[in-house]
Amino acid sequence: MKRSFLTTSILTLLFAGLFGNSVYLQHQGLQAVRSQPPFWETWTMSGRSGDVMKLMALRYDMVAADFLWLRAIQSFGGRGMTNRDWHPMYNMFDAITELDPLFESAYTFGNLVIGDEGHQQREGLKLLLKGSDNIYMHYRCPFEGLYVSHWSLRDEELARWFGRVAIKRKDAPDWVSRMVAYIDVDAGQYYIGFDRFVGNLTKGIDTDEPALERIALFKLNETINKWNCDILSKATDQYTSQTGKLPQTIDDLTTMPALQNYEVARMSRLLASAMRYTNFLGKKELTPLMLQGYVAPDPKLLNEPVEQTSVTLKAKTMDDLQNVIFRESLVRGSGIPENPSGEPYILNVDKMSLPGVAATDIYITKNDLEEFAKDLLQQIRSAIAKRKAELGRNPKDLHEVFYTDFKTTEPLGGHWIYNPQDGTIKMSSRPML
Amino acid sequence: MGKVIAIALNTFKEAVRNKVLYFLLIFAILIMAFSAVISDLSISSPEKLIKDLGLASIDFFGFLIAVFVGVYLVYNELDRKTIYTIVSKPIDRTQFILGKFFGLLFTIYVNIAIMTFVFFAVLYFRESTAYEVMIKHLYSETSPGHFVMVQSEWVYYLKTIFLSMGKSLGTMFGVYTTVLTAGLMKVVLMSALSLAIITSFAIFYSTFSSPTLSAVFTSLTFIIGSLCEDIVRYADKLAEKAGGISHLAGAEAFKYWFAIVAVHIVPNLSYFDRRMNAVYGAPDIAAPQLFPPLLDWQTIVYGIGYTAAIVCLASLIFRNRNFK
């Protein structure tokens, strides 16, 4: 009994001592954790770790990828709270995507971490490229590749490549092809961009989707306008090189080489072509409301009988005739191009001398110029009203409003008329505005 | 046939008395339940995490059961000398091996069924307890912008548990499927087929070696079987490096032929692995070589044939074994 009590006491004491010691050590450890920064990377991976991990995971690659994925999320947050260096995480995403090649979020999130946050856009793109190859049935990775290349890297060629990949994917929504066409046009690839938007229009007619038709027409109008402006811009450069001065009117450009025997798409021909083939196939016609704001369809082409070729005879949908419409819209000619709105082009001389102005703001229509003038007038009136409120009276002159001589000329060719008595301002060319 | 069934049932009864089996089962169920928790840590694709972990657990714990229970089955009969009472009866040794095999396979399949039930229940429960789903069920909009609670959170949870269990059973028997669980049951069936091969190996090794060695051999078979396709690629790389098979010499030639022979002998367990296909859904393009269907006859015939062959081999060895 006595011996048993002694043994029990010794064991109890031993337990209390050892366990107490363990609790103390654990407490020390936890204190150390608290004093450290909230995140400490203990697991950095070297290049091609995924290959080794794939072997080690046996057939449980996807589970290994999931755990690594959770670790990557933690690592992203941890690095964000400490050194903000996300670059070493590339190998982690590479390993995840080696283990689970169809893990789409790993590619897109990896691109966000490495590219957007880590400022290594090219490496981020490498992940998206890998994703585009591996997940060959979805558009998401190539689409994000397009987005990053176009908007972050301004690498139009790469963006167009990713775009071409994205639109081939079966799940790519319609707007992806529109975005790709937009980038094509933006990169000066007018033929390709125009062709893609013609595809959108034919698809819209086939599926009887007025919204899609309207968007396609609007984008086609924009594309042709950009195309025309690009040609006019080249002609302006040639004029400036030859004469040493800026052109004063659009007619000054007509003799320039860039405006001789050039090929361009015409809205009037496009509309005529689309309309005659909708009739030919018995499809729903483009409504007058849809055509509002665009040049009238070319009557000659509209009334021409449809050529009986193997393509037109076999065609069942407008989509089958996309290439025909595309070719019929193109025309070779000389002189000032036809504006898709139907109004003639004029020069916005004020903007020509300013740096960084888009060509579409220089070669405009009379209507555009009036709109521009109205906007400018509105802005000047707001500035006068604001200054009036500050002074408690009407400004004596425009110098008192803008603190400098008001040099901007009135866009429509006249001059500004300011009345200090009532604080009103007008344009001499349009006094009623 | 009756004798085989009697031995199989007896084996099953014996196996369910094994505590290791319960430890493994409880651990597997805990992991599946835990998968629902860790999926919340992911910023996207939480269902993917649950599916990956659930399907992998079913496969891996099935393998562990085959190893830890299977390798003792024949050994115990020999160790306890009960084999003498069996072989002295009009039971063929092949019938004995068949009985043991089917008994163990039945044990594994019962466990797989339990794990699958829990797995589907976890998936359905998580789907029904997603924030937006719960809000829709718990609150009703009486007037624009004004919501009233229509049922208690706990009542909803309780209802969801039972509903998830019901849905889970329905999915297992093929009467209820949603996008969430589409194709998963077929993956489980394919896993079950691969486990039949592993079970046959466990029985085969246990006919001539100790439990420890049998466990090691079965595990190695599982590892090599899982790496089969990588070993082929390794062999191809060796040949490519040498400039063709005919240029291989010495150690390289030995390594190449050893690898080639090995991958033709061991079972290719990757054939049965359809997890990726089921988790991501079958792609809508014709690329059968990359994405085999979830169930295909060729693999089923291969699995059954391979298993039968190994059981035959086990019987052959066991028939000639001297118990003295």
Side-chain angles (χ1 to χ4, degrees), chain B residues 261-321:
Chain B
V261 171
V263 293
H264 281 89
I265 293 173
V266 294
N268 184 357
L269 297 176
S270 306
Y271 277 162
F272 305 93
D273 193 350
R274 306 288 158 93
R275 288 193 287 267
M276 190 172 275
N277 201 354
V279 169
Y280 289 110
D284 187 22
I285 53 170
Q289 72 282 16
L290 293 173
F291 286 91
L294 291 173
L295 277 181
D296 70 299
W297 286 109
Q298 196 183 322
T299 313
I300 293 169
V301 169
Y302 167 77
I304 294 171
Y306 202 109
T307 308
I310 300 301
V311 174
C312 284
L313 193 63
S315 301
L316 273 172
I317 292 173
F318 195 68
R319 285 174 83 86
N320 295 314
R321 182 156 180 187

Side-chain angles (χ1 to χ4, degrees), chain A residues 316-366:
Chain A
K316 286 193 172 57
T317 63
M318 288 292 280
D319 205 37
D320 297 335
L321 295 168
Q322 182 187 334
N323 281 336
V324 179
I325 297 170
F326 171 75
R327 271 189 282 112
E328 284 186 0
S329 307
L330 296 176
V331 69
R332 193 163 274 283
S334 300
I336 305 298
E338 172 198 273
N339 190 304
S341 70
E343 282 190 70
Y345 277 110
I346 58 166
L347 273 182
N348 189 352
V349 184
D350 285 340
K351 289 217 169 173
M352 276 191 89
S353 50
L354 299 175
V357 178
T360 46
D361 286 336
I362 295 170
Y363 311 101
I364 57 175
T365 64
K366 218 169 179 186

Side-chain angles (χ1 to χ4, degrees), chain A residues 59-60 62-63, chain B residues 32 50-62 119 191 275:
Chain A
R59 288 175 297 113
Y60 305 110
M62 288 163 76
V63 179
Chain B
M32 281 176 206
I50 301 175
K51 286 180 189 177
D52 288 349
L53 204 55
L55 291 171
S57 298
I58 291 169
D59 192 73
F60 186 66
F61 283 95
F119 168 54
S191 272
R275 288 193 287 267

Side-chain angles (χ1 to χ4, degrees), chain A residues 54-56 58-63 65-67 69-70 73-74 99-106 109 136-138 170, chain B residues 38 41-45 48-49 52-53 56 59-60 222-223 226-227 230 269-270 273 275-276 279-280 284-285 290-291:
Chain A
K54 202 169 173 60
L55 286 175
M56 286 167 65
L58 297 176
R59 288 175 297 113
Y60 305 110
D61 313 3
M62 288 163 76
V63 179
D66 291 345
F67 282 107
W69 164 248
L70 293 176
I73 295 167
Q74 282 183 318
L99 290 163
D100 189 349
L102 300 184
F103 199 169
E104 199 168 64
S105 302
F109 182 64
Y136 55 86
M137 51 282 187
H138 295 316
K170 285 200 165 185
Chain B
I38 63 161
L41 299 175
S42 175
I43 52 169
S44 71
S45 331
K48 176 198 171 309
L49 264 70
D52 288 349
L53 204 55
D59 192 73
F60 186 66
F222 175 77
I223 292 169
S226 299
L227 293 174
D230 296 294
L269 297 176
S270 306
D273 193 350
R275 288 193 287 267
M276 190 172 275
V279 169
Y280 289 110
D284 187 22
I285 53 170
L290 293 173
F291 286 91

